[in-house]
Amino acid sequence: MSRGLVLRRQAATGLPESPAFADGSRRLSRNVRWSYVAWSASAFAPVVTVPFCVRYLGARLYGEWLMILSLTAYLGLANLGIAQTVGNRIAEATAFNRRGEIRTLVATGFWTYALLAIGLIAALVTVIPVIADHWLRSAGASAALIIYIVLICLAMPARIYQAALRGFERVDCEQALDALSTLARTALAVIALAAGGKLIAIAMVNGCSALLAAALAYPLARRIGGAIQPLPERFQWHCLRSLIRPSAAFLALQAGTTLTLGIDNLVIGAVLGAAAVTRYAVPFRLIWMAALVFTVAVNAAMPTITGHYALAQQRVLVRHYLIALRLALLFATCGAMLLWTAGPSLIGWWAGPEVFPGRAVFAMQIALFAILAVTAPSTAILAATTRHYRYAASTIVEGLLNLALSLLWVRRYGLAGVIGATIAASLLTTSWYVSAAAPAVIGLGWRPMLHRLALPITISTGALAVTVIAGRFAAPFACFMFACTTATIVLTAYLALVFDTSERQSIIRYLSGSLAAGSAAVRA
């Protein structure tokens, strides 16, 4: 059915085409709530495991484990972007109640991944020793890399059911599985390290936890979606062919992102040594987890965005996008102030003062945090609406530019050159593009968008400038208290001046819905 016909029916009836999104606000609140549960588990994990890893493995061996994680991050490219495409297609099929199409999508994705996993295991086991000789020099490192890769490949086919959960707009179930997997991984990693385990034990723990989450997604998705078993006869070549073009763009998007964020540890390890990886990656983990505080909510809303776009609900998308942009500015401002004032002490208490990379490097990592937060609503729009082809191409350019600049600057500027390359590549490619492309996709003009953003940008710029100046003259604790006070003032100014009455009511209803969904989940 065409989107134009859907729009005409909605105009005539005042109702969406399908009841699947009729309780969208409640469902979105529940999804976001469980996304924060998963984020809390992910934030708790490094708080516990990083001190244990630094203590029991040492900076060099822990740096090699971080490089193993960076190497296996490229293994994620083997999903070919199919999972994201299947998730979007299932969300569209759910909106129009096309159950047969869902069964075909699930089976086709499952068997495609099963064949890919077999081929990957056979191919990678032969080349891993060559890779390990270049980056990994500790005893057991090559075996740990092989074990981790095999377990991750075994989990690939069942990951299609994690994508199905997102397509059914049951992000809460997917995130609950992620939280369970993270908590199990954390507990088992601590036990393994305390018992004297090294890289092989950590690889087994991490790989088995990923396999557990993927396997448990299957019964959940069947309970929600009905008869979606991966029967071989449901595999259809024409369905796979229809997935190729959008999946290729998602693959390019993932490849560019992996190059941008995953290459840093490998460059540092090859040039500066494994110990330098720890000094860079541990503070970056703090920055990344802080950025996820906002982006998890945006990612949880992606199936809802897909449904609204399929039903041609443009006004809803524009309204929510503008609210999300201003919330992103608010979050980036307050987060940057608190990280700048409290981050060094927090890192020293958490992982040891020798892990802090220096003020200049940390300041640039905070700048990357702000970029990730502010662009999150725009990237979600492009990915959820499958209008991500040029964005995907820009991420490839960004990743290659980041690699080239990192190799050029790391020898001259050290860690500062690596993070500086990441920021420069982002600003020159994807950051400006997604900010321009997302409004065009939903029909939002530049003039009304800039009108809504002028005041919050002014407030945020002033608050950040005042905090930086205060940090030059005040003691660390006094500076942190000043930042907390300034963040409170900024929050009050946003609520009073930036958001109108209806927007404040929408935010309050959303927060109330999240709390209600959380209470219902706890009672269940």
Side-chain angles (χ1 to χ4, degrees):
M1 182 181 298
S2 69
R3 294 180 67 238
L5 178 57
V6 171
L7 185 60
R8 289 194 295 273
R9 287 193 178 183
Q10 284 182 237
T13 63
L15 296 173
E17 176 70 16
S18 168
F21 292 89
D23 60 345
S25 178
R26 178 181 62 83
R27 187 172 296 184
L28 177 59
S29 297
R30 180 186 61 201
N31 289 343
V32 173
R33 188 265 179 185
W34 277 103
S35 294
Y36 278 117
V37 171
W39 173 86
S40 299
S42 298
F44 170 76
V47 170
V48 175
T49 56
V50 168
F52 271 86
C53 288
V54 172
R55 176 181 177 181
Y56 287 102
L57 296 179
R60 183 181 63 83
L61 202 58
Y62 183 46
E64 292 205 358
W65 171 244
L66 293 174
M67 283 191 283
I68 288 175
L69 293 178
S70 296
L71 287 169
T72 52
Y74 292 93
L75 191 63
L77 300 178
N79 68 22
L80 304 181
I82 293 174
Q84 180 65 58
T85 303
V86 168
N88 282 4
R89 290 275 297 273
I90 289 176
E92 294 176 7
T94 300
F96 295 109
N97 200 27
R98 298 196 293 255
R99 310 302 297 179
E101 181 179 343
I102 294 173
R103 290 191 288 269
T104 300
L105 286 166
V106 169
T108 302
F110 180 91
W111 289 108
T112 301
Y113 277 168
L115 293 174
L116 284 172
I118 295 172
L120 277 173
I121 292 175
L124 289 175
V125 169
T126 61
V127 301
I128 283 174
V130 179
I131 297 174
D133 287 343
H134 188 72
W135 276 287
L136 309 173
R137 297 176 175 84
S138 299
S142 295
L145 180 59
I146 292 173
I147 290 170
Y148 190 49
I149 283 178
V150 169
L151 291 171
I152 293 298
C153 288
L154 291 176
M156 278 184 61
R159 287 191 182 279
I160 206 69
Y161 285 96
Q162 292 177 300
L165 289 173
R166 296 189 71 88
F168 293 139
E169 211 177 352
R170 293 307 304 268
V171 179
D172 56 320
C173 294
E174 182 208 18
Q175 294 300 306
L177 290 177
D178 282 348
L180 175 64
S181 172
T182 300
L183 293 175
R185 181 177 72 246
T186 302
L188 293 174
V190 169
I191 294 172
L193 289 169
K198 298 299 182 182
L199 292 181
I200 292 178
I202 296 299
M204 292 185 65
V205 166
N206 280 263
C208 288
S209 64
L211 183 59
L212 173 67
L216 291 179
Y218 173 68
L220 276 176
R222 277 197 62 185
R223 181 170 62 85
I224 296 167
I228 54 172
Q229 300 96 321
L231 301 178
E233 58 268 24
R234 289 178 180 166
F235 177 91
Q236 294 184 8
W237 285 106
H238 75 84
C239 178
L240 180 59
R241 287 193 296 270
S242 71
L243 298 175
I244 290 177
R245 183 171 181 265
S247 296
F250 278 122
L251 174 62
L253 180 60
Q254 187 177 357
T257 303
T258 304
L259 276 173
T260 299
L261 298 178
I263 199 66
D264 291 354
N265 290 343
L266 299 179
V267 171
I268 293 169
V271 177
L272 303 179
V277 176
T278 300
R279 289 195 297 114
Y280 181 88
V282 172
F284 192 86
R285 175 72 66 86
L286 176 64
I287 294 296
W288 184 254
M289 293 307 300
L292 286 179
V293 173
F294 184 77
T295 56
V296 291
V298 175
N299 290 338
M302 285 179 61
T304 305
I305 294 171
T306 302
H308 287 313
Y309 185 74
L311 298 172
Q313 296 172 337
Q314 179 182 3
R315 293 181 61 184
V316 175
L317 288 174
V318 168
R319 174 181 171 81
H320 290 170
Y321 176 68
L322 287 173
I323 293 176
L325 277 181
R326 285 170 288 166
L327 287 174
L329 283 169
L330 172 62
F331 174 78
T333 302
C334 295
M337 291 189 295
L338 297 178
L339 284 169
W340 175 250
T341 55
S345 299
L346 181 60
I347 292 171
W349 168 82
W350 175 35
E354 70 278 2
V355 175
F356 186 67
R359 275 287 186 177
V361 174
F362 192 60
M364 287 189 282
Q365 289 180 333
I366 293 174
L368 182 61
F369 152 80
I371 293 171
L372 292 172
V374 171
T375 57
S378 300
T379 58
I381 289 289
L382 295 179
T385 59
T386 320
R387 299 289 297 276
H388 59 294
Y389 300 106
R390 292 183 180 178
Y391 171 40
S394 72
T395 61
I396 294 292
V397 176
E398 177 186 2
L400 294 175
L401 181 60
N402 176 47
L403 174 60
L405 292 177
S406 294
L407 291 172
L408 180 65
W409 292 347
V410 65
R411 298 183 185 277
R412 178 177 299 182
Y413 304 111
L415 298 180
V418 175
I419 185 62
T422 302
I423 293 173
S426 177
L427 293 177
L428 291 172
T429 55
T430 59
S431 293
W432 71 266
Y433 175 75
V434 298
S435 300
V441 167
I442 60 176
L444 174 62
W446 273 98
R447 183 169 297 179
M449 185 176 72
L450 293 177
H451 174 73
R452 294 295 187 94
L453 296 180
L455 180 57
I457 289 175
T458 301
I459 295 172
S460 295
T461 302
L464 289 171
V466 169
T467 302
V468 171
I469 293 172
R472 298 177 63 89
F473 301 102
F477 181 74
C479 187
F480 172 69
M481 295 305 298
F482 179 82
C484 291
T485 303
T486 305
T488 303
I489 295 172
V490 169
L491 175 60
T492 304
Y494 265 72
L495 292 176
L497 303 175
V498 173
F499 298 108
D500 59 34
T501 302
S502 64
E503 290 169 336
R504 287 194 295 269
Q505 290 173 348
S506 296
I507 295 172
I508 292 172
R509 283 197 302 270
Y510 162 72
L511 294 175
S512 300
S514 297
L515 293 175
S519 300
V522 171
R523 289 195 299 271

